[in-house]
Amino acid sequence: MTTQTPNAADRLLDAALMHVAFDGWSEATLKAAAGDCDMDPALARALYPRGGLDLALAYHRRGDAAMKAALAERDLSALKFRERIALAVRLRLEQADREAVRRGATLLALPQNAPEGARALWETADAIWTTLGDTSEDGNWYSKRAILSAVYSSTVLFWLGDESTGYEDTWAFLDRRIENVMQFEQTKARIKASPVLNPVLGLPFRLLESIRKPGAPAPMPGRWG
């Protein structure tokens, strides 16, 4: 088995992680990491043009990739779908450095960075659903990712303050959030099946089903059927 040599961007990110606890995802961290790697500051800037923000986003996407790889190694056939989602979220958090995530959440919560934070959160939800084999083409493609984004973000916030052994309280919290989602889906199914409720309460669901997931490439985030 061959070992892949880290590229310049990965080496710089690895070095940055040694400084994040002290300087956050910042210009200071980028400069210190470049020094640790004996890297030309101009190259470091070219790799991460927005400095700490791009470093934080690279770390987030590295976590998504690690989660996808970990899921691919698991036999999920015996798990219910809700258990697969819970496992994916758990794997995503278990491989993360909590202080790096905390610093990243603080940075991405700033108003000027909020769009990037929302995009990163959506990418994580999309990575989970895609890896688990989601085949939806209509508005459910959006609703699944929107709901999972809410579940994941609330779980991350709980995890950041969890001091229980093995983060047991976090996994219990995650199970409760997924249970809430399942209850919503069951209610939606009952509304759609009801000849009394569906004509009125089912309208939002019918509108949602008329939306199609984005194409590749697509100038807009979706299209009407």
Side-chain angles (χ1 to χ4, degrees):
M1 180 177 178
T2 60
T3 301
Q4 186 174 6
T5 302
N7 59 32
D10 285 335
R11 287 192 293 109
L12 193 58
L13 180 56
D14 289 337
L17 286 168
M18 302 297 293
H19 299 275
V20 168
F22 305 99
D23 296 317
W25 296 105
S26 64
E27 289 297 316
T29 290
L30 179 63
K31 292 177 181 179
D36 291 348
C37 295
D38 293 324
M39 183 179 293
D40 186 332
L43 175 57
R45 176 62 57 188
L47 292 171
Y48 296 100
R50 295 176 294 178
L53 176 60
D54 282 332
L55 281 170
L57 292 171
Y59 178 72
H60 182 91
R61 287 164 185 149
R62 174 186 282 186
D64 287 347
M67 177 271 298
K68 291 167 66 176
L71 269 180
E73 295 176 353
R74 297 292 188 103
D75 180 6
L76 306 178
S77 59
L79 299 181
K80 297 178 180 178
F81 214 89
R82 59 184 295 171
E83 294 172 333
R84 298 180 189 185
I85 294 174
L87 174 62
V89 174
R90 180 165 180 164
L91 290 173
R92 179 65 178 79
L93 293 180
E94 285 181 335
Q95 56 78 39
D97 179 274
R98 191 154 66 155
E99 188 57 31
V101 173
R102 190 192 314 278
R103 294 293 191 133
T106 300
L107 179 65
L108 294 171
L110 295 175
Q112 66 269 27
N113 297 332
E116 290 288 3
R119 181 191 297 272
L121 185 61
W122 185 272
E123 287 176 352
T124 298
D126 181 54
I128 291 173
W129 276 114
T130 301
T131 304
L132 292 180
D134 177 42
T135 59
S136 57
E137 295 283 341
D138 57 13
N140 286 318
W141 187 91
Y142 291 92
S143 64
K144 286 178 178 179
R145 284 152 181 80
I147 292 171
L148 183 54
S149 293
V151 170
Y152 179 76
S153 60
S154 62
T155 302
V156 169
L157 291 176
F158 191 97
W159 172 72
L160 288 174
D162 186 9
E163 299 300 332
S164 63
T165 303
Y167 302 119
E168 293 176 355
D169 290 348
T170 294
W171 313 138
F173 176 87
L174 172 61
D175 288 341
R176 293 195 297 273
R177 297 291 73 75
I178 293 178
E179 177 60 29
N180 293 153
V181 173
M182 297 304 297
Q183 291 173 356
F184 170 77
E185 291 297 325
Q186 291 167 3
T187 299
K188 185 172 73 172
R190 286 196 293 269
I191 290 175
K192 292 175 68 175
S194 171
V196 176
L197 299 177
N198 188 43
V200 178
L201 298 182
L203 178 60
F205 304 130
R206 291 193 294 276
L207 289 174
L208 189 63
E209 289 169 355
S210 68
I211 302 173
R212 291 295 177 263
K213 78 173 187 179
M220 299 294 287
R223 64 184 189 277
W224 291 98

